Amino acid sequence: MHDFLLAKEIIQELEQIVQKKGLNKPKSVDIEIGSITLTHDGIPEHAQEINLENLKFGLKSIAKNTILKDTLFKIKKTKGDDWKIVNIETD
């Protein structure tokens, strides 16, 4: 569930960037992700680490009805505790 919530946040950010910059059909997106733990109910004991495979699945699922539907998501694990979009490649 946490992975899907993060995927939704990433897709929303990407859609804003694509619209703002007037990009046409992003071919691939490079994302760096640190050690992110999220809770769905605000209780620290319920925190879970983001699973990269679940995150990829969530990104593809959410993107399928958007301009990002054919985009390849390349995720790299990095140090830190946040995520960022590193590069957007277009046709």
Side-chain angles (χ1 to χ4, degrees):
M1 179 173 160
H2 302 90
D3 315 311
F4 203 78
L5 292 173
L6 180 59
K8 184 177 178 183
E9 185 178 336
I10 291 170
I11 294 296
Q12 288 173 339
E13 178 75 19
L14 280 167
E15 287 179 316
Q16 289 176 1
I17 293 169
V18 166
Q19 184 180 18
K20 183 178 178 181
K21 294 189 175 188
L23 301 177
N24 187 22
K25 293 190 180 183
K27 190 161 70 171
S28 69
V29 175
D30 296 312
I31 302 166
E32 291 183 353
I33 184 166
S35 296
I36 297 177
T37 56
L38 298 173
T39 62
H40 67 281
D41 56 9
I43 300 173
E45 291 82 19
H46 295 169
Q48 293 181 337
E49 179 78 19
I50 295 298
N51 177 293
L52 295 185
E53 289 303 315
N54 290 344
L55 178 61
K56 286 179 186 179
F57 176 78
L59 288 167
K60 290 178 185 178
S61 296
I62 296 168
K64 71 181 177 183
N65 293 320
T66 72
I67 193 169
L68 303 165
K69 66 183 176 189
D70 297 321
T71 302
L72 173 65
F73 297 99
K74 298 187 248 179
I75 302 173
K76 179 181 176 186
K77 190 76 171 161
T78 61
K79 292 183 180 183
D81 58 359
D82 208 355
W83 64 270
K84 65 180 175 180
I85 297 166
V86 180
N87 185 48
I88 300 174
E89 185 179 330
T90 58
D91 287 332

